[in-house]
Amino acid sequence: MAVAVRFFSFPSANTYTSEFGPMNAVGGVWECPSIFPLALDGNEAETKWVAQIGLNPSGPPGVVGSGTQYIVGSFNGTAFTVDSNSPPPSPSPTSTSVSTSITSEGATWTVTFQDFEGTADFASRGWVATGGLVGAAPAQGTLPGKQTVSGYAGTRLVNTFLNGDSTTGTLTSPSFTITQPLINFLIGGGNAPGQECINLKIGSQVVHTATGHNEERLLPQTWDVAEYMGKTAVLEVVDQQTGSWGHVLIDEITFYGDATTPAPRSDGVFDFNGNGTFASLGWTATGGLVGKSPAQGTLAGQQAVSGQRGNFVNTFYDGDATTGTLVSPTFTITKKWINLLIGGGNAPGVQCINLKVNGEVVRTATGSDSEQLLPKSWDVTSLIGQSAAIEIVDLSTTGWGHILVDEISFSDVSDEPRGTNWMDWGPDYYAAAPFNGLPSADRTDIAWMNNWQYANNIPTSPWRSISSIPRKLSLKTINGWPTLIQQPVADWAALQTGTYSNVFNTVEEGSQPIPLSGKSLDITMTFSDRNSASSSQFGLLLRSTSDLAQQTRIGYDFGTKRMFVDRTKSGNVGFDGTFANTYYAPLSPGSDGKITMRILLDSSSVEIFGGEGEVTLSAQIFPQDVGIDVRLFSSGGSTKEITIDAKMLGSAFDTPPTTGTSSTSISRISSSQSTSTTLSTVVRTTENTTVTSTTTTATRPSATAPVDFRPVFHFVPEQNWMNEPNGLIKIGSIWHLFFQHNPTGNFLGKPQLGPRHQY
């Protein structure tokens, strides 16, 4: 399966000059790649390159079929170098240091034992090698035939993938005296305790061990070695496995802390280091956790724990029979993010960590039925200035009835790994391609708005498939990450047939109609965030019938901080078993505590742009024409400070082209019979609402009219099958759109490069 992008040079293109991948989303074949530059934050001196890659089959979480991801990096004309997908650096009093530093008298210090930089081999560094590691030296990052390695410090690291996974051997460090309470390092590679690991040995006994997590990304690991201070030890790197993930990655081994006391807990950071009980650290314990102390590692009868950074919460004291809670000292939230490490059972509300404000759970997280602690971040921007407490809950006695927590800290950036960057989080956005012939500041993208899972079966005739709305692309730093911003591009003024504006102070729980309806709308809504860990939502019901049997539900989940589209009742959903589904995209509130969503509704599609356009979500819908109503809904309580601005849109295909800008006429085909209703100007003012709409003519179809589903402001061929766009270019004032097209029928067949359409 091809999950890499290769670069070829011309005129001789028989061999490729470089490649990158696999990385991020690799569940399907990589295809339809493109690469282009964008200035970061509008600064040409900080230009990045964006690789845009289609995947089939693969897609965002919850999507079956196809999707499109993007990867940010640099390009020198022959090779694309991927930016690190690790979190941006954030100061933390207990974070792993990457360089030797000595501080003033009485403070702790960090000593770098081995950073593996420079050209010397392992033997020259005093390490004893065996097996296939004899004569080896630290690697410069990724080795041939391997996925991209990330997360290491500097330019070199231990990477035992020398001859692929067939390499085996050990590396043993020079002996040293343990003089500080913490040993920090970075580790990745295979998850095979005892076979792919790093060990701390005193004499011949292994007193601490750690393994990777079947990932090429190195993550920080810490051992608390206070009880061994004064003893002589060695570090042993082990690679004894030749199967899949038969290699280990190690870097940046440091010793941290004061020689006489454990590493201090800085004010406002809960790291659980030290020798006291939870009570002595200021935490209030209940149940079986009364009198307990933080664990130093894996407990008796437990699978090997990894990912902690010193002492940590591990409620497996009496196995899964232990239950109880731990509540932190009260603190004031002063930063945008709360970062933590969490593992153990996946049982929301039962095995979890909660953030509580005024006794209410406003954020929550749980483990993933794993003994590995992984980073988790809560966006608490809207809670700054409020008094809060953290509650750790273990209330289950069944399998995975325990929880692991460590390193709770506060920062203005998230420590959670970013994961895959999706161009669009919905099911219907694939094979995106940029237009050539444009300056970087006007980079414009367009995609096939369909999904290979059901593309042949969507209920349209005599045409099948549409293109997405063109999107202008830019690159902006958001939460420390270079993030792709997408905004719809169209001559909206020319399409506009009416407007609707509304301001609500409060929308109570339930749903209510608003004086807006239609099959083609451009709606922007903003509303205040709500602090809730429960399923509380707000949004719009589009294309709804009076009995709500048909509705497309678009909104925001305050508990999970995600926008969504629910098309389970959107009309015709029975042509494919995966079509009736709800899709989500992560969206944090703005700095003002407001959520902004722009919704483009066309006859058979919705495209949602969240925030500034940092996330988008696109989905096809096939509603019956009898449903054109719009309703507001609020669940889990009331929603406040809502503003809605909507434009009613006419057909782009019915507008005569401007002379000299088009050589191809595109007609809108419709077999619907309809009646017309004229809406007059309405101005109404109440305590909560101001409504203004302009005079327009709306079309309300009869209940028995056949449905064509043909869009009015998305490109679609007059007839027959269409799929991926290709070779897009703007020459002068004319936009040239090419696409794959079957001229013989409304099915895939053997598509040809479709006719060029000019605008």
Side-chain angles (χ1 to χ4, degrees):
M1 183 169 64
V3 284
V5 174
R6 290 178 174 176
F7 294 89
F8 295 79
S9 61
F10 289 89
S12 175
N14 295 323
T15 59
Y16 60 93
T17 59
S18 66
E19 72 172 30
F20 76 91
M23 66 176 302
N24 293 355
V26 295
V29 174
W30 283 15
E31 53 186 9
C32 308
S34 56
I35 182 172
F36 46 84
L38 289 174
L40 181 60
D41 300 320
N43 183 359
E44 294 290 343
E46 293 290 334
T47 293
K48 298 278 189 179
W49 285 76
V50 177
Q52 184 173 245
I53 304 164
L55 294 96
N56 181 42
S58 187
V63 171
V64 177
S66 44
T68 304
Q69 67 171 322
Y70 74 91
I71 299 171
V72 179
S74 58
F75 184 60
N76 64 4
T78 59
F80 180 78
T81 303
V82 179
D83 282 359
S84 172
N85 216 25
S86 300
S90 59
S92 172
T94 58
S95 63
T96 303
S97 175
V98 296
S99 63
T100 302
S101 61
I102 303 294
T103 59
S104 60
E105 182 179 358
T108 60
W109 64 87
T110 298
V111 173
T112 300
F113 177 70
Q114 183 59 255
D115 60 10
F116 301 105
E117 297 300 306
T119 59
D121 61 16
F122 292 117
S124 301
R125 301 169 190 264
W127 290 66
V128 177
T130 67
L133 301 179
V134 173
Q140 289 184 282
T142 306
L143 295 175
K146 188 180 186 181
Q147 300 177 33
T148 301
V149 175
S150 65
Y152 55 96
T155 61
R156 296 178 185 265
L157 73 156
V158 175
N159 184 343
T160 66
F161 195 80
L162 302 176
N163 296 309
D165 284 328
S166 63
T167 304
T168 61
T170 64
L171 293 168
T172 303
S173 76
S175 61
F176 58 92
T177 300
I178 300 175
T179 59
Q180 292 167 278
L182 299 176
I183 297 179
N184 303 317
F185 53 91
L186 303 172
I187 186 168
N191 182 354
Q195 292 186 297
E196 302 296 330
C197 59
I198 182 172
N199 299 323
L200 176 66
K201 299 179 72 173
I202 297 177
S204 60
Q205 181 183 5
V206 175
V207 296
H208 277 290
T209 188
T211 188
H213 37 279
N214 288 350
E215 188 176 359
E216 303 297 4
R217 179 165 54 100
L218 288 82
L219 292 175
Q221 174 75 282
T222 297
W223 289 328
D224 186 336
V225 294
E227 64 182 298
Y228 304 116
M229 288 173 65
K231 295 187 177 181
T232 300
V234 295
L235 292 168
E236 177 186 49
V237 178
V238 178
D239 178 351
Q240 298 292 0
Q241 183 170 286
T242 59
S244 178
W245 289 106
H247 60 278
V248 66
L249 312 172
I250 300 289
D251 197 14
E252 202 68 17
I253 303 169
T254 63
F255 303 153
Y256 176 78
D258 186 79
T260 57
T261 60
R265 195 200 83 192
S266 295
D267 187 27
V269 176
F270 303 113
D271 60 17
F272 304 105
N273 290 325
N275 298 317
T277 63
F278 289 116
S280 69
L281 295 174
W283 290 68
T284 301
T286 67
L289 302 180
V290 173
K292 297 297 186 183
S293 300
Q296 295 183 350
T298 304
L299 297 177
Q302 186 177 26
Q303 300 176 39
V305 175
S306 64
Q308 73 273 24
R309 300 179 184 175
N311 292 358
F312 64 108
V313 176
N314 182 348
T315 65
F316 196 81
Y317 294 103
D318 298 310
D320 285 327
T322 303
T323 61
T325 64
L326 295 168
V327 179
S328 76
T330 301
F331 57 91
T332 300
I333 299 173
T334 60
K335 299 289 185 180
K336 296 178 181 178
W337 293 89
I338 296 179
N339 301 310
L340 55 100
L341 300 172
I342 187 167
N346 181 357
V350 179
Q351 304 296 144
C352 60
I353 181 170
N354 299 321
L355 176 68
K356 302 182 77 171
V357 174
N358 297 324
E360 179 186 358
V361 176
V362 295
R363 301 288 187 273
T364 189
T366 188
S368 52
D369 289 347
S370 169
E371 302 295 9
Q372 182 184 8
L373 288 86
L374 295 173
K376 175 66 181 178
S377 297
W378 288 326
D379 184 347
V380 292
T381 305
S382 62
L383 299 172
I384 289 176
Q386 298 198 44
S387 180
I390 289 173
E391 177 188 50
I392 298 173
V393 179
D394 178 351
L395 297 178
S396 175
T397 59
T398 59
W400 289 107
H402 61 279
I403 189 168
L404 316 173
V405 174
D406 196 12
E407 197 76 8
I408 304 168
S409 62
F410 307 91
S411 176
D412 282 329
V413 294
S414 168
D415 281 350
E416 191 169 346
R418 189 175 193 186
T420 299
N421 303 318
W422 294 104
M423 290 291 298
D424 192 284
W425 291 76
D428 295 305
Y429 194 86
Y430 182 64
F435 276 89
N436 293 302
L438 294 172
S440 178
D442 295 325
R443 187 72 59 193
T444 302
D445 224 25
I446 197 167
W448 182 49
M449 200 171 171
N450 211 333
N451 188 310
W452 283 115
Q453 170 68 21
Y454 44 71
N456 282 292
N457 301 320
I458 62 173
T460 60
S461 180
W463 58 277
R464 185 163 280 129
S465 294
I466 65 175
S467 293
S468 72
I469 201 72
R471 302 178 180 185
K472 184 176 180 180
L473 306 181
S474 60
L475 204 60
K476 182 176 181 178
T477 302
I478 296 180
N479 294 328
W481 300 100
T483 302
L484 198 65
I485 303 296
Q486 303 177 71
Q487 287 293 341
V489 179
D491 185 359
W492 301 106
L495 300 181
Q496 182 175 313
T497 62
T499 62
Y500 166 85
S501 297
N502 203 328
V503 177
F504 297 84
N505 291 336
T506 302
V507 172
E508 301 295 341
E509 185 166 6
S511 71
Q512 63 184 67
I514 58 176
L516 175 66
S517 62
K519 296 164 59 177
S520 52
L521 301 168
D522 176 8
I523 305 172
T524 298
M525 63 177 180
T526 64
F527 47 92
S528 290
D529 189 20
R530 286 157 57 185
N531 294 313
S532 175
S534 61
S535 181
S536 301
Q537 299 178 341
F538 174 77
L540 295 171
L541 305 181
L542 302 180
R543 297 301 305 271
S544 67
T545 53
S546 58
D547 61 359
L548 300 185
Q550 175 179 290
Q551 57 177 270
T552 297
R553 196 165 178 266
I554 296 171
Y556 187 77
D557 189 296
F558 296 103
T560 60
K561 306 302 176 189
R562 297 183 298 176
M563 67 181 193
F564 63 86
V565 57
D566 177 355
R567 65 181 184 187
T568 56
K569 297 180 180 180
S570 60
N572 188 342
V573 299
F575 54 88
D576 180 85
T578 69
F579 189 84
N581 210 335
T582 303
Y583 303 95
Y584 298 89
L587 177 62
S588 296
S591 58
D592 59 354
K594 298 287 187 71
I595 294 97
T596 299
M597 297 170 59
R598 183 175 180 184
I599 304 162
L600 299 183
L601 171 69
D602 206 339
S603 304
S604 55
S605 66
V606 288
E607 290 175 271
I608 312 169
F609 297 78
E612 301 176 72
E614 62 265 33
V615 292
T616 65
L617 202 163
S618 300
Q620 295 181 93
I621 55 173
F622 301 102
Q624 294 298 303
D625 276 344
V626 291
I628 60 172
D629 294 338
V630 178
R631 299 176 69 95
L632 287 172
F633 71 86
S634 183
S635 66
S638 60
T639 305
K640 299 183 181 301
E641 298 181 294
I642 302 105
T643 299
I644 298 177
D645 290 297
K647 299 179 179 68
M648 306 166 195
L649 302 177
S651 174
F653 302 109
D654 291 341
T655 304
T658 303
T659 302
T661 64
S662 177
S663 62
T664 302
S665 174
I666 306 173
S667 300
R668 181 174 184 269
I669 300 173
S670 177
S671 58
S672 298
Q673 299 174 352
S674 61
T675 59
S676 294
T677 302
T678 299
L679 303 179
S680 301
T681 300
V682 176
V683 178
R684 182 176 75 249
T685 302
T686 67
E687 179 182 0
N688 296 331
T689 311
T690 300
V691 181
T692 304
S693 63
T694 59
T695 302
T696 186
T697 299
T699 299
R700 184 176 294 276
S702 67
T704 58
V707 181
D708 178 54
F709 301 121
R710 185 177 291 269
V712 299
F713 60 88
H714 287 76
F715 176 77
V716 62
E718 291 190 27
Q719 62 182 2
N720 297 339
W721 169 277
M722 174 187 76
N723 58 296
E724 299 150 12
N726 289 274
L728 314 182
I729 190 168
K730 184 185 181 191
I731 303 175
S733 62
I734 300 177
W735 300 74
H736 300 262
L737 173 63
F738 296 85
F739 53 90
Q740 295 187 51
H741 181 253
N742 182 2
T744 64
N746 196 20
F747 53 89
L748 176 59
K750 295 183 177 180
Q752 302 175 9
L753 188 63
R756 180 186 68 185
H757 289 275
Q758 303 174 347
Y759 299 96

